[in-house]
Amino acid sequence: MQILRNIAKKYNDTSLILRILIGLIVGTLLALAAPGALWVAEFGNLFVGALKGIAPVLVFVIVASALAQSGAKLDRRFGTVIWLYLLTTFIAATLSVCTSLLFPQTVVLVEAAQSDVIPQGLGEVLNTLLSNFVANPVGAIMSGNYIGILFWACMFGLAMKGIGSDTTRKFLSDTADAVSQIVRWIINLAPFGIMGLVYSNVVGNGLAIFTQYGKLLALLVGTMLIMSLVINPLIIFAYLRCNPYPLVLRCLKESGLTAFFTRSSAANIPVNMALCEKLGMDKDMYSVSIPLGATINMDGAAVTITIMALAAANTLGIEVSFSAAIVLAFMSALGACGASGVAGGSLLLIPMACSLFGISNDIAMQMVGVGFIIGVVQDSVETALNSAGDVEFAATAEFYQWRKEGRPLPDFLKKTK
């Protein structure tokens, strides 16, 4: 028993990043040496299943607890952070139009993916968003409908704030802390999950994602990197008038890197909230804005939807006008905000964007199939961009208010003259 305790202590004392890298290497080696050992893939299935299972509960209890205990009304910072989340999602879609026009891509289509939920147009997307808001709260948690979860969590939290006792609020706080701790335990076991996921991907796809669809993947990742390292810092600078990179790089390191491997913005909420606490932010603010960002701050999803739709148009030889491209950017941004409420995430909104150009559903769903192949890398980078942006813009809204009040910015943000 003492030996097991020593092993567990050694494991926990080792950097999570180092453990994940070891998991990546071991998973790759096992796939090459023993491709028939399918039991290894079960570690990945268990890891993803645990994250999917706990993340909806996490969002509900954290938002409800935060609102129930908030001592004051949400001020202008909250409006600023919502504006930044929506603005950057639209900018990401517009940037994707520009990069796709500069580097047009065509693809070799694969077998069509299957789905029961395929939005066909802007009207249906709007209807889905509105329906998701008032969906059954228990059903929303069970299906991972984060728009509905967020709405009912806000209703429940505000109701408890008005009628709940101190004991009830303490219970909600303890529940939120307990669920957050469960997520930390799951993330602590990420190396085993990553090992299983890498194993199944290498066995199933080999290096195909870097060959047949390499150019498309490079465009997706490149656009997301421009958004993360150029556009987002410019927006932060416009608000804070200081060097934005200390904040950006810290968010990428402490939030984006974890999200890259877990591939779940919702599951990364405890990591982001811990980072906000380190940054000295107001808990009443970030305990609401961070879960909200995990739902509507979807820069990476907007990039994916836009570029994949334009790649489909290029493959079929369809000329895309400037006005149609702008409409596509708007549709992609709006769809991305509701991506979490659609089974399959951002990829299943590609047919909605393709419908703008009259592309048939069969062809559009083949593009979804391509997305699943390259999703090994694309989805990881997309989640890292989204999750890091959640903290970046929550911090920007917070520190912008400090600046307006004449308070000094944190020491790690050096003011420019």
Side-chain angles (χ1 to χ4, degrees):
M1 184 64 68
Q2 185 61 40
I3 295 176
L4 292 177
R5 289 196 186 98
N6 291 337
I7 293 174
K9 184 177 186 304
K10 183 67 175 176
Y11 176 84
N12 291 323
D13 289 343
T14 304
S15 166
L16 178 62
I17 296 173
L18 177 59
R19 283 183 275 149
I20 287 175
L21 290 175
I22 294 173
L24 281 168
I25 296 171
V26 172
T28 302
L29 293 177
L30 285 175
L32 297 175
L38 299 181
W39 58 269
V40 179
E42 289 304 314
F43 286 104
N45 295 334
L46 289 172
F47 177 64
V48 172
L51 287 177
K52 286 183 177 179
I54 196 64
V57 180
L58 174 72
V59 172
F60 183 89
V61 298
I62 282 181
V63 173
S65 173
L67 288 175
Q69 299 176 74
S70 60
K73 295 188 294 184
L74 296 173
D75 54 26
R76 294 180 180 178
R77 295 172 298 174
F78 195 64
T80 301
V81 77
I82 293 178
W83 161 250
L84 289 172
Y85 285 159
L86 298 178
L87 173 66
T88 53
T89 301
F90 177 73
I91 291 176
T94 305
L95 174 66
S96 302
V97 169
C98 297
T99 56
S100 293
L101 294 177
L102 289 173
F103 305 100
Q105 299 295 317
T106 57
V107 298
V108 177
L109 297 177
V110 298
E111 292 298 321
Q114 299 296 320
S115 173
D116 296 328
V117 183
I118 308 172
Q120 295 297 321
L122 183 58
E124 187 171 346
V125 171
L126 287 170
N127 180 68
T128 299
L129 284 172
L130 294 175
S131 298
N132 284 342
F133 267 112
V134 293
N136 181 282
V138 177
I141 293 175
M142 293 178 63
S143 64
N145 168 15
Y146 288 100
I147 294 292
I149 292 169
L150 192 65
F151 175 78
W152 290 115
C154 289
M155 295 296 101
F156 185 77
L158 291 173
M160 293 303 296
K161 176 179 171 61
I163 64 175
S165 65
D166 291 340
T167 303
T168 304
R169 296 191 185 100
K170 181 66 165 56
F171 172 76
L172 285 175
S173 177
D174 290 344
T175 302
D177 291 341
V179 176
S180 297
Q181 183 60 48
I182 292 172
V183 175
R184 294 188 189 98
W185 287 339
I186 295 172
I187 292 178
N188 193 44
L189 296 174
F192 297 99
I194 297 302
M195 178 185 69
L197 292 172
V198 170
Y199 176 88
S200 57
N201 282 317
V202 172
V203 169
N205 300 316
L207 300 178
I209 59 172
F210 298 109
T211 55
Q212 188 175 15
Y213 305 111
K215 291 183 179 179
L216 178 61
L217 179 61
L219 180 61
L220 285 163
V221 172
T223 303
M224 292 180 194
L225 289 176
I226 292 173
M227 192 69 201
S228 179
L229 299 175
V230 179
I231 304 299
N232 286 354
L234 285 174
I235 294 173
I236 295 171
F237 174 78
Y239 275 81
L240 302 184
R241 301 298 180 184
C242 67
N243 180 6
Y245 285 100
L247 174 61
V248 170
L249 296 179
R250 186 167 180 180
C251 290
L252 288 173
K253 178 184 176 182
E254 299 190 31
S255 171
L257 195 59
T258 306
F260 180 90
F261 291 109
T262 62
R263 297 167 72 174
S264 172
S265 293
N268 213 45
I269 288 174
V271 176
N272 283 351
M273 293 182 70
L275 177 55
C276 288
E277 185 176 0
K278 292 179 185 178
L279 296 177
M281 295 169 56
D282 181 2
K283 186 175 181 179
D284 284 346
M285 176 61 185
Y286 69 71
S287 58
V288 177
S289 60
I290 292 299
L292 178 66
T295 304
I296 67 171
N297 182 40
M298 292 291 171
D299 300 0
V303 170
T304 298
I305 296 167
T306 305
I307 288 180
M308 295 295 282
L310 289 173
N314 293 334
T315 300
L316 298 178
I318 298 173
E319 292 289 336
V320 179
S321 65
F322 177 77
S323 58
I326 295 300
V327 174
L328 172 64
F330 175 76
M331 288 181 65
S332 298
L334 182 62
C337 291
S340 297
V342 181
S346 61
L347 292 178
L348 292 178
L349 287 169
I350 294 172
M352 175 271 297
C354 287
S355 67
L356 179 64
F357 308 121
I359 297 174
S360 71
N361 189 59
D362 289 340
I363 298 297
M365 288 308 296
Q366 289 186 55
M367 290 301 300
V368 175
V370 173
F372 279 118
I373 292 176
I374 64 175
V376 180
V377 175
Q378 169 269 326
D379 189 45
S380 294
V381 178
E382 175 182 317
T383 308
L385 170 61
N386 292 341
S387 188
D390 294 346
V391 182
E392 288 171 14
F393 296 119
T396 298
E398 173 89 13
F399 300 148
Y400 177 63
Q401 186 67 26
W402 290 15
R403 180 171 167 265
K404 291 176 65 177
E405 294 173 355
R407 298 168 58 186
L409 296 177
D411 292 339
F412 71 91
L413 288 175
K414 304 299 182 182
K415 293 184 178 180
T416 56
K417 296 181 178 180

